[in-house]
């Protein structure tokens, strides 16, 4: 087996194939479980509600899952989410707001394939730049993004205020 997976119509039932498609409501449980691998404890019910809410933002938001098919079984091995950002101070861009690949399936080209899907989506939306943020402690993710052609442009401190 090679170190990357692609859509392969000629794949035998035992060899893996990868299909990337838009997120569906029935993907909520798998997305919840994958999110937990990065420390985001969110229920599948909450994910379901968010999928429904975000479905009304077609053209300004998208989410995709990577489905790995092995020996007739299909498993969601990763997901990615992207939104268009419009700011006064800079040109519009696509912002990757989440990317997770299952710990069991990392380093197989799944993250690369998900990023390629976002790049294609971004071009369709008319943007020329994709941005992603990553926690400072996630050095493996930083190496991945640099390998994928992203350039580190700044370091931020993030602040948050809860609204009551």
């Amino acid at each position: 087996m090679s170190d990357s997976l692609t859509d392969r119509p000629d794949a035998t039932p035992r060899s893996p194939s990868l299909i990337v498609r838009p997120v569906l409501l029935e993907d909520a449980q798998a997305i919840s479980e994958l999110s937990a691998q990065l420390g985001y404890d969110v229920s599948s019910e909450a994910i379901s509600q968010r999928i429904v809410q975000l479905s009304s933002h077609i053209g300004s938001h998208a989410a995709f899952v990577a489905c790995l098919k092995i020996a007739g079984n299909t498993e969601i091995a990763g997901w990615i989410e992207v939104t268009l950002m419009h700011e006064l101070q800079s040109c519009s861009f696509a912002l990757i707001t989440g990317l997770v690949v299952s710990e069991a399936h990392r380093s197989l080209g799944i993250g690369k394939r998900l990023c390629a899907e976002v790049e294609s989506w971004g071009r369709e939306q008319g943007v020329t730049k994709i941005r992603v943020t990553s926690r400072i402690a996630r050095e493996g993710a930083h190496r991945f993004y640099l390998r994928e052609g992203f350039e580190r442009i700044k370091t931020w401190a993030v602040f948050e205020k809860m609204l009551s």
Side-chain angles (χ1 to χ4, degrees):
M1 183 169 103
S2 70
D3 62 351
S4 67
L5 302 169
T6 59
D7 297 315
R8 294 183 5 202
D10 62 331
T12 65
R14 302 189 95 159
S15 64
S17 64
L18 183 69
I19 296 169
V20 175
R21 62 162 172 78
V23 165
L24 302 172
L25 196 54
E26 59 259 26
D27 300 331
Q29 182 63 42
I31 291 170
S32 172
E33 292 169 6
L34 287 168
S35 297
Q37 290 185 13
L38 287 186
Y40 295 103
D41 186 25
V42 58
S43 71
S44 60
E45 293 80 15
I47 296 288
S48 292
Q49 290 174 355
R50 293 173 188 164
I51 290 171
V52 170
Q53 290 171 338
L54 294 172
S55 67
S56 67
H57 297 280
I58 303 288
S60 65
H61 180 272
F64 303 96
V65 291
C67 301
L68 189 58
K69 189 172 184 178
I70 303 173
N73 296 318
T74 301
E75 173 184 352
I76 293 178
W79 62 265
I80 194 166
E81 183 177 18
V82 60
T83 190
L84 287 183
M85 297 295 296
H86 305 284
E87 301 175 331
L88 292 174
Q89 74 276 12
S90 63
C91 294
S92 297
F93 60 93
L95 176 65
I96 296 172
T97 58
L99 169 59
V100 184
V101 173
S102 166
E103 292 169 348
H105 301 298
R106 291 187 184 152
S107 299
L108 296 175
I110 295 170
K112 180 182 188 78
R113 178 64 180 86
L114 287 165
C115 284
E117 191 71 24
V118 163
E119 289 178 23
S120 177
W121 181 86
R123 285 185 193 96
E124 289 172 11
Q125 306 315 310
V127 296
T128 59
K129 178 172 47 177
I130 296 175
R131 185 175 288 171
V132 63
T133 61
S134 179
R135 287 188 187 167
I136 197 71
R138 293 196 172 130
E139 294 176 4
H142 302 171
R143 287 189 298 274
F144 167 78
Y145 291 122
L146 290 169
R147 277 194 314 269
E148 292 308 304
F150 288 83
E151 178 184 345
R152 180 177 280 192
I153 60 169
K154 60 176 106 175
T155 303
W156 291 349
V158 177
F159 302 90
E160 176 174 88
K161 181 177 182 177
M162 299 303 292
L163 303 176
S164 52

